[in-house]
């Protein structure tokens, strides 16, 4: 991460504008035990209270770093019922990073978020159709399959 | 390689900054070697 991903200007600009970066050694107590860290790099997205909402394990190349963190930020807002901000974070991932490994999950969660904020089941059907058409091999297309019946 | 990221190294300070700026936190556990 230090030699490939973090030196990239797009990555440093994204971090500076969107998230507070905190770095600790994997053996630093009590955080290591509290977050049950077993391998590095482990990246965890926390809310402003320090509660975990998403984590990744292993190296992230520059082209996956920003979408991965945006997915975590969206999940954090989703968990906290901040639906408008969650939809916005997922959009910031889906539109510019259509080939990211995080995109299918963001499409799924964005559709679910839209459904939860409107109770319009059409959003669930739309997320299924988008995943079926654009990411048919994704596990998220599989998980959305029940919505084809709506 | 040096990076331009201004890492916090203390959880309490990071939470304080996150609340002040209304931003989430990225916690990176690294291998100290």
């Amino acid at each position: 991460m230090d030699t490939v991903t973090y030196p990239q200007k797009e990555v440093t600009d994204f971090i500076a504008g969107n998230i507070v970066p905190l770095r600790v050694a994997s053996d630093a107590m009590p955080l290591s035990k509290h977050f049950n860290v077993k391998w590095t790099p482990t990246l965890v997205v926390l809310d402003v209270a320090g509660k975990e909402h998403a984590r990744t394990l292993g190296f992230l190349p520059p082209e996956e770093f920003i979408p991965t963190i945006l997915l975590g930020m969206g999940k954090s807002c989703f968990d906290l019922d901040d639906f408008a901000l969650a939809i916005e974070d997922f959009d910031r991932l889906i539109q510019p990073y259509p080939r990211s490994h995080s995109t299918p999950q963001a499409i799924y969660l964005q559709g679910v978020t839209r459904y939860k904020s409107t109770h319009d089941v059409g959003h669930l059907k739309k997320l299924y159709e988008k995943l079926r058409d654009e990411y048919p091999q994704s596990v998220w297309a599989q998980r959305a399959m029940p919505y084809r019946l709506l | 390689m040096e990076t331009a990221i201004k890492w916090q190294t203390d959880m309490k300070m990071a939470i304080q900054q996150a609340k002040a700026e209304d931003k989430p936190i990225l916690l990176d556990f690294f291998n100290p070697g």
Side-chain angles (χ1 to χ4, degrees):
Chain A
M1 299 293 287
D2 285 332
T3 56
V4 176
T5 301
Y6 287 144
Q8 298 296 316
K9 186 175 186 307
E10 187 184 6
V11 170
T12 56
D13 287 351
F14 173 81
I15 289 174
N18 292 279
I19 199 162
V20 174
L22 168 63
R23 199 162 208 216
V24 298
S26 59
D27 58 357
M29 294 297 167
L31 286 179
S32 179
K33 185 175 182 184
H34 176 79
F35 286 99
N36 195 29
V37 174
K38 301 297 182 188
W39 193 246
T40 61
T42 290
L43 303 180
V44 190
V45 176
L46 313 173
D47 62 27
V48 296
K51 184 178 178 185
E52 177 176 346
H53 294 276
R55 74 164 58 194
T56 69
L57 181 69
F59 170 73
L60 285 173
E63 64 272 19
E64 286 295 335
F65 178 83
I66 294 174
T68 301
I69 301 306
L70 280 169
L71 180 62
M73 290 167 59
K75 288 167 78 174
S76 176
C77 294
F78 175 81
D79 290 346
L80 296 168
D81 293 337
D82 188 342
F83 296 143
L85 198 50
I87 289 168
E88 188 180 308
D89 283 338
F90 294 137
D91 252 341
R92 293 170 64 204
L93 189 177
I94 295 164
Q95 301 304 330
Y97 303 100
R99 302 322 319 160
S100 167
H101 296 303
S102 297
T103 304
Q105 187 176 0
I107 291 168
Y108 181 97
L109 287 174
Q110 188 184 54
V112 169
T113 306
R114 285 191 165 125
Y115 166 71
K116 284 173 70 75
S117 60
T118 63
H119 303 289
D120 176 0
V121 295
H123 292 302
L124 298 177
K125 187 154 191 166
K126 278 183 195 165
L127 80 83
Y128 162 72
E129 290 170 349
K130 186 172 178 66
L131 289 167
R132 177 199 63 193
D133 295 345
E134 298 177 24
Y135 304 91
Q137 302 305 316
S138 163
V139 66
W140 293 98
Q142 197 173 56
R143 293 183 189 188
M145 280 184 71
Y147 307 145
R148 76 189 187 284
L149 303 171
L150 295 173
Chain B
M1 184 184 289
E2 288 288 323
T3 76
I5 299 169
K6 298 189 179 349
W7 294 101
Q8 289 280 4
T9 56
D10 179 84
M11 182 69 152
K12 285 181 183 172
M13 293 296 291
I15 288 176
Q16 198 172 42
Q17 183 184 347
K19 286 180 176 170
E21 299 178 7
D22 194 24
K23 291 178 182 172
I25 298 166
L26 172 63
L27 172 53
D28 177 347
F29 286 98
F30 70 98
N31 183 351

